[in-house]
Amino acid sequence: MATAKAIDGMALALRQQNAARWLGVGQFVNSCTWTVASTAQTGLGLQLAPSRAALLATMSAISSLSAAAQFLLLPFCGALSDALGRKPVMIVRALTSTVFPALLAAFPSYKLFICHRAISMLTWHLTESAQQAALADVFEGQELAVAMAKCRSQMGIAMLIGPLIGGWLSERSFRACYMLSAACGAVNTLLYATRFRETLGSRAACQPSADAGVDSTATTENSMGGDRHVAGKID
């Protein structure tokens, strides 16, 4: 029983280490993807939009809809990650961060620009809920707070680095910003697909062996008691 508990504890510790490491790295790369593209979006939007007023009106509408979507869709996002798993949801977000910037760099158009902006803001909320749920799957209490703080700190570092790189690239080419953003998205997709381990049901998976050990012990004791009772009758 003690051995089973030790094995389960080691398995949970490995899952915690995997989640903390790759969610933190994924948060960093994802934030770089977002900030690099966001730095170039105003300049590219002005080039593609029919007018400055149209661009401002459209971007304001997208921001308002994103705020409403955050309020309305977060419960749905949580239910989706519970149904499908944390990993598929985060891979979908990483794929959108790869495909749309790549298309925009190759075939810039105003409609594609607006579509990329809207989908990016919507899937951002989807990823946030999945990442928080993934950490909550393997951490509890103070450990959960520390793990979330570490992931947030890596996002903060990316928020500092991304705009600097994006601003430097946008002075030369807006397409270069979106190509770099697509490359970051591709890296994130590979990390989530190959390195990150699914966390949904991790705690439940680490407990049955211990429970089984208790059950088997109780069964053995009952069996021994029954044997003793039968032996007493024979004597």
Side-chain angles (χ1 to χ4, degrees):
M1 179 177 176
T3 304
K5 285 186 176 180
I7 293 174
D8 293 339
M10 291 175 61
L12 182 59
L14 289 174
R15 289 175 182 268
Q16 290 175 338
Q17 183 181 13
N18 178 271
R21 175 184 299 169
W22 298 114
L23 286 177
V25 173
Q27 187 79 283
F28 176 80
V29 179
N30 187 41
S31 298
C32 285
T33 305
W34 172 263
T35 52
V36 168
S38 297
T39 306
Q41 72 177 359
T42 303
L44 183 61
L46 289 173
Q47 286 186 3
L48 299 175
S51 66
R52 185 184 184 91
L55 176 64
L56 292 176
T58 304
M59 297 302 290
S60 299
I62 291 175
S63 298
S64 299
L65 289 174
S66 175
Q70 183 177 9
F71 175 74
L72 296 174
L73 294 181
L74 276 181
F76 169 76
C77 294
L80 186 64
S81 66
D82 287 340
L84 300 179
R86 322 304 185 198
K87 185 171 182 173
V89 170
M90 290 186 288
I91 289 176
V92 168
R93 158 63 182 175
L95 283 173
T96 60
S97 299
T98 305
V99 174
F100 281 95
L103 289 175
L104 197 55
F107 311 104
S109 69
Y110 185 61
K111 290 182 179 180
L112 185 59
F113 172 80
I114 296 301
C115 183
H116 166 251
R117 181 64 178 172
I119 291 178
S120 295
M121 296 188 77
L122 289 175
T123 54
W124 177 274
H125 305 313
L126 187 66
T127 307
E128 282 291 298
S129 63
Q131 287 180 339
Q132 292 176 9
L135 289 174
D137 287 337
V138 293
F139 290 100
E140 288 182 337
Q142 186 65 26
E143 290 182 343
L144 176 60
V146 172
M148 285 188 173
K150 289 181 178 179
C151 285
R152 289 288 181 179
S153 66
Q154 297 199 43
M155 181 177 69
I157 295 172
M159 291 291 186
L160 293 175
I161 297 174
L164 294 175
I165 298 175
W168 180 78
L169 285 176
S170 62
E171 292 180 353
R172 290 153 178 80
S173 171
F174 293 120
R175 288 188 175 186
C177 287
Y178 283 97
M179 289 174 64
L180 178 59
S181 180
C184 290
V187 169
N188 229 13
T189 303
L190 289 174
L191 289 178
Y192 284 141
T194 61
R195 296 295 183 179
F196 177 70
R197 295 178 61 188
E198 178 61 65
T199 60
L200 184 62
S202 294
R203 287 192 172 275
C206 293
Q207 290 175 356
S209 61
D211 295 339
V214 173
D215 293 339
S216 65
T217 304
T219 302
T220 303
E221 290 178 353
N222 292 336
S223 176
M224 292 175 64
D227 293 342
R228 287 196 297 267
H229 181 67
V230 172
K233 284 186 175 182
I234 294 174
D235 294 340

